[in-house]
Amino acid sequence: SMSPDRSDLLEPLNVSLGRGVPCDMAFYDDPEFPQNERDSLLLCRWDRFDVARYVLTRRGASFTAEERPFLKGRSNARPVGVAVDALGRVFVTMLYLSGNVATPHCYSDL
């Protein structure tokens, strides 16, 4: 909840994110998607091995967003980067790590 001394702060897009390891975010608005699925944020979550999609809905001067699944990593594949090209293709960089390490030296995929 917001501090009563900071009424200038906006409500978060999604209050259920909790603590975690968000890595990268991209905006997705492919015209091939149905209208109610456009205007989405894609968020890499290293801690959950997934990329979540948040469909934006206007809320006054800000937005709210419901979390929906987009991509799930397997075999220790953790998403750390996401990008969308001009054709609407989504590219995700995945690192293969079993957990936190001091100096990550690992394989990766795009």
Side-chain angles (χ1 to χ4, degrees):
S1 66
M2 294 189 311
S3 167
D5 300 331
R6 293 294 312 268
S7 60
D8 61 322
L9 296 177
L10 296 174
E11 288 288 328
L13 286 174
N14 184 298
V15 295
S16 64
L17 283 174
R19 295 180 54 96
V21 187
C23 293
D24 199 9
M25 184 184 298
F27 181 70
Y28 191 70
D29 187 26
D30 191 326
E32 297 296 322
F33 265 38
Q35 187 64 40
N36 63 341
E37 299 291 324
R38 294 182 193 170
D39 297 332
S40 297
L41 293 175
L42 300 176
L43 176 64
C44 293
R45 294 287 303 255
W46 187 88
D47 57 317
R48 295 186 341 194
F49 301 90
D50 70 7
V51 177
R53 182 167 57 93
Y54 297 88
V55 179
L56 299 174
T57 305
R58 289 197 177 277
R59 177 181 58 200
S62 184
F63 297 91
T64 184
E66 177 185 337
E67 182 177 315
R68 298 183 186 168
F70 185 78
L71 177 73
K72 184 73 173 168
R74 290 182 285 170
S75 303
N76 289 327
R78 297 176 185 270
V80 293
V82 62
V84 180
D85 73 2
L87 299 175
R89 294 178 296 187
V90 177
F91 296 88
V92 177
T93 305
M94 306 287 272
L95 298 182
Y96 293 91
L97 288 171
S98 59
N100 289 333
V101 292
T103 305
H105 184 281
C106 60
Y107 297 103
S108 64
D109 279 333
L110 176 65

